[in-house]
Amino acid sequence: MTTAENISRVEPIKLKEEEPAAISPRRLIFRRFLRHRMAVMGTIILFGVILYVTIGSIIYTEADSNFNNTSIKLEGPSQEHPFGTDRVGRDVMIRTIYGGQISLLIGVSAMLVGVSIGTLVGAVSGFYGSILDSFLGRVTEAMLSIPNLLILLVAAKFLGGRIRDLDLFGRTFSGSVVVIILIVGFTSWMELSRIVRANVLSLKEREFVIAARSIGASNLRIIKSHILPNTLAPIIVAATLSIGAAIITEAYISYFGLGVQLPSASWGNILNDGRTQVRQAPWLWISPSVLIILTVLSINFVGDGLRDAFDPQSDKTV
Amino acid sequence: MTKYVIRRLIQAFFLLFIISIVVFVLMNESGDPLATMGGRQPPRPEDRARLERQLGLDKPVMVRYIYWLIGNDWTEVDVDGDGEGDTPGTKKGVIRGDFGDSFRTRQPALDVIWDYLPNTLRLMIPAQVLIVVVALFIGIYSALNQYSIFDNILTGFAFVAFSMPIFFVALALIHIFSVELDMLPASGMYDPIKGESTSELIKHLILPVGSLVLIGLAKYSRYVRASMLEVINSDYIRTAKSKGLRESTVLFTHAFRNAILPIVTLIGLDIPFLLAGAVVTENIFAWPGMGRLFLESINRSDFPVLMCILMMTAAAVVVFQLLTDLVYTMLDPRIRLS
């Protein structure tokens, strides 16, 4: 075989394999999320918890959750009452169902309040700078200088009993639920506002923002359609994680009796009920605690998965 | 440098001033300190009016704030209720170191805090020291053995601990060690029968410190691991290794010293929060510390004590932030303050 022959036999190198089907960024993020095993498991567990509190409330009415029968008070788990009964003979399982609804409601609503404030403060102080920025910066610092739980307890005491009970969807919600949502939201925006501010600071110098400005886009429009969409990823991740944090915070405040009040149950105030019976009736604190841990853990896994999905280069070590 | 410190201190005073106004107003509208003063019965209206005048609660909230801040010894207090001042005021105000008297015990608020602070430190210092030491060991070990079984278990543990309310850990520890096994006491600092001794104190410390450490360890060990990983993957470590230095020399003289920098910041920022105590842990274990004092004071609306705790913590946070920044520039000369 000659060299010439040899060369001619060399197959032409394919520069590219078949062009892969175009994937939208959203799909790509979804795929990366599915590859994060713990995040998928978290989603499933979270789904399970949501099913538990919804299907449970179809089977049992809210009246069942408040039905007390002192002849069976403080009974351990049994066939009839799988999670036992509390100090006035209410079924703990049904209370965790209705309490779970309130705890999840508080988690999501407080997240919405906190994320709105954090995004607004961060965007405004990053975008407008100068006096507004240093003022908001001081406010953020002030909020961070007092231990969160202390200020939460003071705020819970301040607002406690000032908001009347609400009647929604044929159910009565204690006004304290609104109080908790507000105070948890108002004390959990600081870290997000710092992240958003830093992102806005760098984004507003980018070419596409300058281009938008040069064609006469208003500040509001630049923030709304050019800057915020580009800082959406950290906002979504922080929002997810703050749902879990809000659920834990609610549990702390309610544990001290300053949180959700009757007639509403929450995972936190079931714990408060069991506070005096720590020794005799461990089921009173075990079942709501386990539900809190399961929920928050899976929310944290989902948040972690989202972070990796949005930004594969993100620092995974912390 | 001096200029920087002075500017930061001025900012800090301004910050504390703002915090104090907001918290004072919020707190003074948040409950009735007189409600529990008559024991089980609510006080009679005439007693109420007299107590209000005595405690200065008859004044509008901004006047009360001014008295709190600069004292009222320059004016006269109306004690007999005829609408005119008759007795000279005795408060010296916060700027002269007088935080007012506790509504509950009528002692100066600072003295009340002074009774509780040492107990909190007895709980928080061992916990913090243990957290840092253990976190350094396991953080470094798992960074050096990234993705090993130990490292994966640690990651899992950290995730669970992040998601766990501390009362679950505390109640679980009580349930296991003091209800089931009956080995360790679950409440208080000393046993009322056995009296006060160091060995009793240590016995009572184990469970609360244990729960604080289990939760705190997650955050610290993750930080140590992250910062160690960043350092050992950097160029100068590779250079040091390729020069043929011994593994241990590289680790301890090159890697460790740089990896520990961010941990110094973390500790500096956490120390002031130790003063406020662990509200939840102290309450579960009936530990007579600041966290418990805070909750008792909130239940009884003891504003002077509450203000004292909050302002002390806030001041400590501000001071330690500044100190941490200064220490950091000394440890890492690349950083310049501006």
Side-chain angles (χ1 to χ4, degrees):
Chain A
M1 257 198 277
T2 62
T3 342
E5 255 180 337
N6 210 357
I7 288 171
S8 70
R9 266 204 213 142
V10 171
E11 281 180 31
I13 302 162
K14 264 192 196 165
L15 273 179
K16 263 185 185 168
E17 294 287 309
E18 294 151 58
E19 195 75 28
I23 305 174
S24 71
R26 208 170 285 180
R27 242 197 125 71
L28 203 66
I29 290 170
F30 187 62
R31 256 190 213 180
R32 277 201 295 259
F33 182 81
L34 286 186
R35 232 174 289 147
H36 196 294
R37 265 179 303 164
M38 296 317 277
V40 175
M41 203 169 87
T43 317
I44 295 169
I45 297 176
L46 203 57
F47 200 64
V49 173
I50 293 171
L51 277 184
Y52 173 72
V53 299
T54 45
I55 293 188
S57 69
I58 296 170
I59 301 174
Y60 304 100
T61 62
E62 196 173 16
D64 289 335
S65 82
N66 290 326
F67 178 76
N68 56 22
N69 178 358
T70 41
S71 63
I72 52 161
K73 65 178 179 185
L74 290 179
E75 271 182 18
S78 62
Q79 202 127 43
E80 215 173 322
H81 305 285
F83 294 170
T85 57
D86 68 4
R87 127 181 103 98
V88 287
R90 289 172 298 201
D91 183 279
V92 176
M93 189 184 78
I94 308 177
R95 285 191 76 70
T96 59
I97 290 169
Y98 281 88
Q101 292 183 353
I102 298 292
S103 285
L104 293 177
L105 175 79
I106 288 175
V108 174
S109 321
M111 174 276 282
L112 289 176
V113 175
V115 166
S116 316
I117 300 174
T119 310
L120 190 73
V121 171
V124 165
S125 58
F127 192 80
Y128 292 102
S130 72
I131 307 174
L132 206 54
D133 181 29
S134 49
F135 172 72
L136 291 173
R138 291 295 95 75
V139 174
T140 314
E141 264 172 43
M143 294 287 292
L144 287 168
S145 305
I146 302 180
N148 225 339
L149 197 53
L150 301 193
I151 201 71
L152 277 167
L153 292 173
V154 172
K157 188 87 194 293
F158 172 69
L159 285 171
R162 290 195 188 205
I163 295 180
R164 271 179 298 132
D165 293 357
L166 299 170
D167 285 307
L168 282 178
F169 317 117
R171 279 175 63 186
T172 308
F173 290 96
S174 160
S176 56
V177 174
V178 183
V179 171
I180 299 296
I181 291 171
L182 289 179
I183 63 175
V184 174
F186 272 91
T187 49
S188 61
W189 52 270
M190 289 85 79
E191 269 161 42
L192 179 64
S193 87
R194 288 192 161 178
I195 299 172
V196 172
R197 177 180 172 274
N199 274 349
V200 172
L201 273 180
S202 80
L203 282 170
K204 75 171 180 183
E205 306 299 334
R206 296 271 288 275
E207 287 83 356
F208 61 89
V209 173
I210 298 171
R213 195 188 299 279
S214 70
I215 57 168
S218 68
N219 279 343
L220 192 68
R221 191 181 161 79
I222 291 177
I223 294 181
K224 223 171 55 188
S225 36
H226 297 287
I227 290 187
L228 282 187
N230 279 299
T231 180
L232 205 58
I235 295 179
I236 292 178
V237 172
T240 315
L241 296 177
S242 75
I243 297 178
I247 291 176
I248 289 198
T249 312
E250 182 276 323
Y252 283 147
I253 310 173
S254 296
Y255 180 80
F256 290 125
L258 290 165
V260 175
Q261 308 290 330
L262 295 172
S264 294
S266 78
W267 285 337
N269 81 10
I270 301 172
L271 280 161
N272 173 264
D273 257 6
R275 208 174 144 188
T276 43
Q277 264 81 28
V278 170
R279 280 165 179 278
Q280 306 93 305
W283 58 88
L284 280 180
W285 57 266
I286 289 178
S287 47
S289 297
V290 168
L291 280 164
I292 291 173
I293 296 171
L294 272 182
T295 312
V296 177
L297 186 62
S298 45
I299 288 173
N300 286 349
F301 277 135
V302 171
D304 200 48
L306 284 174
R307 187 189 349 244
D308 287 356
F310 280 123
D311 180 11
Q313 263 86 53
S314 71
D315 190 8
K316 278 188 189 168
T317 44
V318 178
Chain B
M1 183 76 151
T2 324
K3 241 174 138 182
Y4 173 80
V5 174
I6 290 171
R7 209 184 62 220
R8 282 282 299 263
L9 282 177
I10 293 171
Q11 280 179 358
F13 271 109
F14 181 68
L15 189 69
L16 290 175
F17 180 65
I18 301 288
I19 294 177
S20 71
I21 292 185
V22 174
V23 177
F24 193 91
V25 173
L26 195 68
M27 195 177 289
N28 271 273
E29 300 296 322
S30 73
D32 178 15
L34 304 178
T36 50
M37 278 191 181
R40 283 178 180 278
Q41 272 147 4
R44 288 173 301 172
E46 57 268 30
D47 289 343
R48 230 192 131 79
R50 188 175 47 79
L51 279 168
E52 267 184 1
R53 284 196 305 274
Q54 261 181 23
L55 299 172
L57 293 169
D58 53 336
K59 299 272 189 303
V61 71
M62 275 338 276
V63 176
R64 268 185 265 163
Y65 178 75
I66 291 167
Y67 285 178
W68 177 82
L69 187 69
I70 60 172
N72 64 357
D73 50 1
W74 45 275
T75 176
E76 287 184 330
V77 185
D78 171 26
V79 174
D80 53 13
D82 57 3
E84 280 170 40
D86 42 47
T87 320
T90 50
K91 284 187 201 160
K92 290 231 261 320
V94 173
I95 48 170
R96 282 178 284 168
D98 177 11
F99 275 87
D101 294 347
S102 159
F103 290 164
R104 223 155 33 115
T105 63
R106 303 290 170 101
Q107 285 171 292
L110 271 176
D111 290 1
V112 175
I113 284 177
W114 209 236
D115 288 341
Y116 286 80
L117 188 60
N119 297 341
T120 277
L121 295 181
R122 268 181 211 152
L123 173 68
M124 300 304 273
I125 291 176
Q128 185 71 10
V129 170
L130 260 179
I131 289 173
V132 173
V133 172
V134 178
L136 278 177
F137 274 107
I138 59 177
I140 290 175
Y141 184 81
S142 60
L144 295 179
N145 301 283
Q146 199 184 3
Y147 303 131
S148 65
I149 297 175
F150 177 83
D151 184 38
N152 285 335
I153 291 176
L154 186 82
T155 307
F157 157 77
F159 250 105
V160 176
F162 275 132
S163 317
M164 205 151 24
I166 192 164
F167 50 69
F168 179 74
V169 184
L171 293 173
L173 286 181
I174 290 181
H175 189 73
I176 298 168
F177 290 103
S178 94
V179 179
E180 296 287 330
L181 299 174
D182 201 16
M183 276 162 51
L184 292 165
S187 68
M189 250 173 44
Y190 298 106
D191 194 308
I193 300 161
K194 290 178 188 151
E196 301 187 5
S197 67
T198 319
S199 65
E200 274 299 305
L201 177 66
I202 291 172
K203 247 182 163 177
H204 282 79
L205 266 174
I206 295 175
L207 290 185
V209 168
S211 21
L212 288 170
V213 169
L214 275 176
I215 295 290
L217 209 50
K219 177 171 117 187
Y220 272 82
S221 63
R222 294 311 279 174
Y223 262 96
V224 175
R225 178 179 179 275
S227 112
M228 193 70 185
L229 274 178
E230 202 187 315
V231 169
I232 56 177
N233 289 323
S234 58
D235 292 342
Y236 64 87
I237 294 297
R238 206 181 34 208
T239 313
K241 274 185 188 161
S242 61
K243 278 197 305 189
L245 290 179
R246 268 188 303 153
E247 189 81 4
S248 59
T249 320
V250 176
L251 276 184
F252 288 102
T253 56
H254 293 82
F256 184 67
R257 281 176 52 181
N258 287 298
I260 208 154
L261 273 178
I263 315 303
V264 172
T265 323
L266 196 62
I267 298 171
L269 296 180
D270 271 354
I271 285 178
F273 290 103
L274 300 187
L275 296 180
V279 182
V280 182
T281 316
E282 284 181 8
N283 275 286
I284 292 178
F285 290 102
W287 191 266
M290 299 280 282
R292 223 166 106 97
L293 175 66
F294 187 86
L295 208 74
E296 271 170 25
S297 306
I298 232 178
N299 285 333
R300 301 279 296 269
S301 301
D302 194 347
F303 306 142
V305 174
L306 290 173
M307 277 310 283
C308 195
I309 297 177
L310 284 170
M311 291 319 293
M312 205 186 66
T313 325
V317 171
V318 173
V319 169
F320 271 91
Q321 264 167 3
L322 181 57
L323 282 180
T324 313
D325 284 354
L326 295 180
V327 169
Y328 208 88
T329 49
M330 284 195 286
L331 293 175
D332 188 346
R334 283 171 303 179
I335 291 172
R336 293 265 168 274
L337 300 173
S338 60

